[in-house]
Each structure stands twice: as structure tokens, then as C-alpha cells.
């Protein structure tokens, strides 16, 4: 019985040892493969970077012959890396250098590499392909990219939105007509930076976006109006101050101020009492920035009767900005002043002194 047990334990030991050795061997082989892949990518990256450098530095007639590069450019893994390096390089250059990088994209037909990624199932690969086509300004891919505007993956549809705008400009914003998800601040910024001009007659489209039930679409449209100083939308923007969204109201106020209408401050003060507290704070901020004295009575009233401390502080700061520092200093001499009012006034005075 004892011999049988020892024999069994010996077999178990041998099996475990074998498994450990196999595991160690697998790890070594995996690391070796990873190392070789890393070495290969490093070597290829050097070759690609040299090619990009030569194309930028030399003229077409002076470009050194590079048969090794042309041979490697036939291999799919090399072409994938080549496209990635081109995209990375494109961000670092401008003018003629940027144009030459895009010529390399066309010369080696790397559109096929990017287009192939659009046919994959993994969202990150699809997004990568869309980004590459957009960076290389391959506008022929716009129809196919547009199919991803409703993709279930956020990563994919965000890249599709950006690509459509980059490739088609204002026309690429057509997805806003039906888009129901929130457009993040970062995405709004990307889209705005990609639009350099407007078509001759954008008013109907922009007005439709201002009436969208998607708050983020309305907010983006307000930023678009602000960027291009579309003065014709002034009255339409004032209508947004009747909406229930506090965020839209605040953005509408900021947009109105950017349009520099001399009647804006007076108009905002006339609707002040109808607004929620956060919007009131924004109106007071606007009064402060405008240095318009038409709201002095409102500021003095809100300094003591404002619904929140933020409103009172904003009123005090606006009064100081309007050169009512003596008035604020005199208030500090009143014996009936509450501790809160004293602190707010001192804060407003101290803020500018420092």
C-alpha cells in the first residue's frame, strides 16, 4: 500500500514538473516572439521615418533610390505600420511637408489598409481606420464612413462624426439633424476646429439645430454661431432664454454677449427676475464684464436680497468692476450689516486689491 502511494506521488510530481517546464517553455517562446516583433517594428519604424524624412527634405528629382523600402512596402504588416507612422507624422508638420506626407499615402495606395479596417468587427480597428482616412483627407471614403454615424460603439461613431466634418466641412454636420445622444465638450471642440467656413446659405439648417430636442446639439450650434459671428440669429437666441434647460440658457447668454449688441445687457436685466439662480449668476457675470451702468440698481438690490451667496458675491464683484468701490467701502460702516454681507463685500474689495 505504501509503495503504491509513493509511486502515485512520484507520478504526480513528474506530471507537475512537466507542466511547469512546458509553461516556462511557452513563456520563453512568447517572450522571444515578442522580442523579435519589437526588434522588427523598431527597424521598420526607422526605415519608414527615413523615407518620410527623405520625401520632405529632397525634391522629386533628388530623392534617393530605396529598393529595400519598396520591397517591404509590399508586405501587409509593413504597410499597416507605414500608415500609422504617416498619421503620427502628419500631426507634426504643416504646409508643403504635410502635403508630401499625404502624397505618400496616395503613392503607396495605403487607403486599402485603412478601408480594410472598416470591414473589421473590433470597434477600435474601425475607429482607427476612420481616423486614418480623415487625417489623410481621403474624402472619397466619406460615403462609407457615414455608415458608421449610427454605430453602437461610441468610439466608432465619434470618430465617424469627426471624420465627416473634417472631410466635408459644414456639410458633414448633417448627422446633427437626427443625433439623439449627448455630444461631449471635447467632441464639440473637435468638430468646431474642423469647420473653417460656412456655405452661402446655412441659416435654415442652423435654425433647425437650434430647435433640436437634443440639448447638446443646441449648445454646439450656439458655439458655431459664436465662432462665425452670425448676427442674424440674435433674436432666435433670445427665444432660447424661455427654455427649461439652465445650461442652454447660460450658453445662450454667452453667445448673445459675443455678438456685441449694445442692447444685450439691458435686455438680460429685464428678464433677470424670471431666471433660475444659476442663470442669474451668469447675467451678473455678463454685467460685470460689460461694465454697463444700466444695471446698477439691480446690482445693489441683489447684493442684499439675492437668493444665494453666489448671486450676492457676483453682484458685489460687478459693483466693484463698475467703480463702485467707495460705495462698497461705505457699506462696511453700517452697523446693521449682516456678517455674510460684510464678508462678501470685503471679498469683492480684497479680490481686486490683491
Amino acid at each position: 500500500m505504501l509503495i503504491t502511494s509513493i509511486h502515485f506521488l512520484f507520478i504526480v510530481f513528474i506530471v507537475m514538473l512537466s507542466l511547469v517546464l512546458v509553461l516556462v517553455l511557452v513563456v520563453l517562446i512568447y517572450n522571444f516572439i515578442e522580442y523579435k516583433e519589437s526588434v522588427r517594428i523598431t527597424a521598420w519604424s526607422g526605415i519608414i521615418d527615413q523615407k518620410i524624412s527623405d520625401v520632405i527634405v529632397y525634391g522629386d528629382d533628388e530623392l534617393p533610390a530605396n529598393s529595400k523600402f519598396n520591397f517591404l512596402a509590399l508586405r501587409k504588416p509593413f504597410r499597416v505600420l507605414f500608415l500609422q507612422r504617416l498619421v503620427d507624422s502628419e500631426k507634426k508638420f504643416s504646409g508643403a511637408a504635410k502635403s508630401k506626407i499625404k502624397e505618400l499615402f496616395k503613392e503607396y495606395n495605403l487607403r486599402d489598409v485603412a478601408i480594410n479596417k472598416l470591414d473589421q468587427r473590433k470597434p477600435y480597428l474601425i475607429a482607427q481606420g476612420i481616423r486614418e482616412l480623415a487625417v489623410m483627407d481621403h474624402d472619397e471614403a466619406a460615403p462609407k464612413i457615414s455608415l458608421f454615424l449610427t454605430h453602437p460603439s461610441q468610439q466608432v461613431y465619434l470618430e465617424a462624426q469627426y471624420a465627416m466634418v473634417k472631410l466635408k466641412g459644414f456639410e458633414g454636420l448633417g448627422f446633427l439633424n437626427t443625433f439623439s445622444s449627448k455630444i461631449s465638450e471635447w467632441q464639440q471642440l473637435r468638430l468646431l476646429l474642423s469647420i473653417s467656413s460656412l456655405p452661402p446659405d446655412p441659416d435654415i439648417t442652423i435654425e433647425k439645430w437650434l430647435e433640436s430636442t437634443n440639448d447638446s446639439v443646441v449648445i454646439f450650434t450656439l458655439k458655431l454661431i459664436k465662432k462665425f459671428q452670425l448676427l442674424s440669429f440674435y433674436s432666435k437666441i433670445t427665444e432660447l432664454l424661455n427654455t427649461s434647460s439652465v445650461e442652454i440658457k447660460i450658453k445662450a447668454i454667452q453667445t448673445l454677449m459675443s455678438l456685441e449688441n449694445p442692447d444685450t445687457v439691458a435686455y438680460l436685466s429685464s428678464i433677470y427676475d424670471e431666471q433660475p439662480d444659476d442663470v442669474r449668476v451668469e447675467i451678473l457675470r455678463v454685467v460685470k464684464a460689460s461694465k454697463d451702468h444700466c444695471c446698477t440698481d439691480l446690482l445693489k438690490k441683489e447684493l442684499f436680497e439675492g437668493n444665494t451667496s453666489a448671486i450676492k458675491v457676483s453682484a458685489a464683484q460687478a459693483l466693484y468692476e463698475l467703480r463702485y468701490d467707495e460705495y462698497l467701502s461705505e457699506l462696511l460702516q453700517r452697523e446693521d450689516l449682516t456678517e455674510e454681507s460684510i464678508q462678501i463685500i470685503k471679498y469683492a474689495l480684497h479680490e481686486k486689491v490683491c
Side-chain angles (χ1 to χ4, degrees):
M1 186 71 178
L2 180 60
I3 294 174
T4 303
S5 298
I6 293 173
H7 181 69
F8 175 75
L9 290 174
F10 179 74
I11 293 174
V12 171
F13 173 76
I14 293 298
V15 170
M16 294 296 293
L17 181 61
S18 300
L19 288 174
V20 170
L21 291 174
V22 169
L23 182 60
V24 170
L25 183 61
V26 169
V27 171
L28 289 174
I29 292 173
Y30 175 79
N31 286 337
F32 179 71
I33 294 173
E34 285 288 298
Y35 171 74
K36 286 192 66 177
E37 181 67 16
S38 175
V39 170
R40 184 180 69 169
I41 290 176
T42 300
W44 282 1
S45 296
I47 295 171
I48 292 170
D49 290 345
Q50 185 60 51
K51 175 68 174 180
I52 295 173
S53 177
D54 289 344
V55 167
I56 292 174
V57 173
Y58 297 103
D60 294 339
D61 298 334
E62 305 171 331
L63 198 63
N66 195 333
S67 57
K68 182 177 181 181
F69 181 89
N70 292 332
F71 172 74
L72 288 171
L74 299 174
R75 300 182 60 182
K76 183 178 178 180
F78 183 85
R79 290 168 61 78
V80 170
L81 181 62
F82 185 18
L83 179 55
Q84 291 176 0
R85 301 297 291 181
L86 282 182
V87 170
D88 292 340
S89 299
E90 193 271 350
K91 301 172 185 176
K92 302 174 184 177
F93 297 99
S94 60
K98 187 187 288 280
S99 297
K100 288 188 174 183
I101 288 173
K102 292 176 180 177
E103 287 174 9
L104 278 176
F105 174 81
K106 295 177 181 177
E107 180 183 349
Y108 288 90
N109 200 26
L110 295 178
R111 63 173 292 280
D112 290 344
V113 177
I115 290 290
N116 182 59
K117 292 179 181 178
L118 303 189
D119 297 325
Q120 305 301 310
R121 292 189 176 183
K122 295 180 179 178
Y124 83 91
L125 285 176
I126 299 173
Q128 191 178 80
I130 293 173
R131 188 183 310 115
E132 290 166 349
L133 291 165
V135 170
M136 290 295 132
D137 289 332
H138 189 65
D139 49 0
E140 294 176 11
K144 186 159 187 175
I145 291 174
S146 67
L147 300 176
F148 295 96
L149 288 170
T150 55
H151 195 277
S153 168
Q154 183 184 52
Q155 182 183 16
V156 173
Y157 73 66
L158 288 180
E159 283 300 333
Q161 289 174 1
Y162 173 70
M164 289 301 296
V165 175
K166 190 172 189 305
L167 297 174
K168 308 294 286 185
F170 182 82
E171 182 185 342
L173 288 172
F175 68 90
L176 294 177
N177 294 332
T178 56
F179 193 66
S180 58
S181 300
K182 182 177 180 179
I183 308 173
S184 68
E185 289 287 333
W186 169 241
Q187 183 71 347
Q188 289 183 39
L189 178 61
R190 292 177 78 200
L191 297 177
L192 282 171
L193 291 175
S194 297
I195 302 172
S196 57
S197 63
L198 297 179
D201 53 348
D203 289 13
I204 295 177
T205 302
I206 292 176
E207 186 171 332
K208 182 178 180 180
W209 295 339
L210 283 177
E211 296 171 352
S212 173
T213 55
N214 184 336
D215 287 0
S216 63
V217 170
V218 177
I219 290 169
F220 171 78
T221 307
L222 288 170
K223 293 178 180 178
L224 189 68
I225 291 171
K226 182 177 180 179
K227 175 178 179 177
F228 290 99
Q229 288 292 286
L230 304 179
L231 304 179
S232 60
F233 285 96
Y234 187 91
S235 60
K236 193 70 181 178
I237 296 170
T238 61
E239 294 176 13
L240 293 176
L241 292 171
N242 297 320
T243 186
S244 60
S245 170
V246 170
E247 187 177 8
I248 287 180
K249 287 185 175 186
I250 290 174
K251 295 298 182 184
I253 290 170
Q254 294 171 355
T255 306
L256 287 174
M257 285 303 296
S258 73
L259 299 181
E260 298 183 356
N261 186 312
D263 298 326
T264 297
V265 174
Y267 167 73
L268 292 176
S269 65
S270 71
I271 62 169
Y272 179 87
D273 291 336
E274 307 163 13
Q275 305 305 319
D277 291 340
D278 288 344
V279 178
R280 290 184 177 187
V281 169
E282 184 61 26
I283 292 176
L284 295 178
R285 189 194 68 79
V286 161
V287 172
K288 172 185 172 183
S290 70
K291 298 183 180 180
D292 192 323
H293 288 262
C294 72
C295 301
T296 301
D297 291 340
L298 172 64
L299 296 176
K300 291 179 177 180
K301 172 178 172 291
E302 291 300 282
L303 174 58
F304 295 103
E305 300 178 14
N307 292 340
T308 67
S309 295
I311 289 176
K312 295 176 181 178
V313 168
S314 297
Q317 291 175 327
L319 284 168
Y320 187 93
E321 196 67 36
L322 293 174
R323 305 291 181 86
Y324 284 94
D325 46 312
E326 289 187 12
Y327 167 76
L328 293 172
S329 298
E330 289 173 3
L331 286 178
L332 292 176
Q333 309 304 317
R334 286 175 47 175
E335 296 182 357
D336 61 336
L337 212 61
T338 65
E339 183 61 29
E340 180 190 38
S341 295
I342 292 173
Q343 294 302 319
I344 288 173
I345 293 171
K346 284 184 175 180
Y347 176 75
L349 293 170
H350 180 72
E351 183 182 55
K352 290 296 179 182
V353 171
C354 292

